[in-house]
Each structure stands twice: as structure tokens, then as C-alpha cells.
């Protein structure tokens, strides 16, 4: 295996890993939006009809920020 082949294999491994992390995080966020996590009750406040994620707003926003960073990394790494 040549040096170039090894670099390509490493590139593929990193890209696949970060992409999978991003997809897993997206799935978590999507399930929150769909209200599939019923462990802490419904995601809508009865009186306010607003979105309340089971992990809390700060953690949900942190996950959204992390997803942005995964996607930014994939874009930069691929260029």
C-alpha cells in the first residue's frame, strides 16, 4: 500500500466517523422534535404549546451547535 493509499484510507475513516456522529446527533435532535422520547412526558407544555425538549433547551441548543461544527468540519476537511 502506497503512502497516498494510506492517506486516502485515513481520510475516508475520519470522514465516515464524523459524518456518522453528525447523523446520530441529527437523529437525536429529530426525535426530540417529533416527541418520540416520552420518558419525561410530552414535549409540548399544555398551557403554552411551545417546544420543550426532554434534555432541556440549553442542552438541545448545545447539540444543535455541535451538529453545525460537525458539518463545518466535514466541509473543510473535504475541500
Amino acid at each position: 500500500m502506497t503512502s497516498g493509499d494510506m492517506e486516502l484510507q485515513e481520510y475516508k475513516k475520519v470522514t465516515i466517523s464524523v459524518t456518522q456522529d453528525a447523523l446520530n446527533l441529527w437523529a437525536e435532535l429529530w426525535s426530540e422534535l417529533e416527541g418520540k422520547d416520552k420518558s419525561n412526558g410530552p414535549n409540548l407544555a399544555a398551557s403554552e404549546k411551545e417546544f420543550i425538549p426532554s434534555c432541556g433547551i440549553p442542552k438541545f441548543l448545545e447539540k444543535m451547535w455541535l451538529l453545525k461544527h460537525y458539518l463545518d468540519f466535514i466541509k473543510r476537511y473535504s475541500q
Side-chain angles (χ1 to χ4, degrees):
M1 188 177 275
T2 68
S3 169
D5 290 340
M6 290 186 337
E7 287 177 12
L8 182 58
Q9 290 301 317
E10 183 64 23
Y11 170 81
K12 285 175 63 175
K13 286 179 187 176
V14 170
T15 303
I16 289 167
S17 176
V18 175
T19 302
Q20 189 59 59
D21 288 346
L23 288 169
N24 292 345
L25 185 55
W26 180 87
E28 263 185 66
L29 294 168
W30 187 252
S31 71
E32 287 282 351
L33 291 170
E34 287 186 322
K36 286 184 179 175
D37 182 10
K38 302 296 184 196
S39 60
N40 294 331
N43 287 351
L44 293 178
S47 62
E48 298 158 347
K49 300 289 184 203
E50 64 185 37
F51 172 68
I52 302 172
S54 62
C55 61
I57 295 291
K59 186 69 173 176
F60 185 82
L61 294 175
E62 181 182 322
K63 289 178 180 184
M64 290 290 289
W65 189 250
L66 182 58
L67 180 58
K68 177 211 180 291
H69 282 286
Y70 282 145
L71 295 172
D72 283 346
F73 175 82
I74 292 167
K75 180 181 180 231
R76 282 184 281 114
Y77 193 67
S78 296
Q79 290 177 331

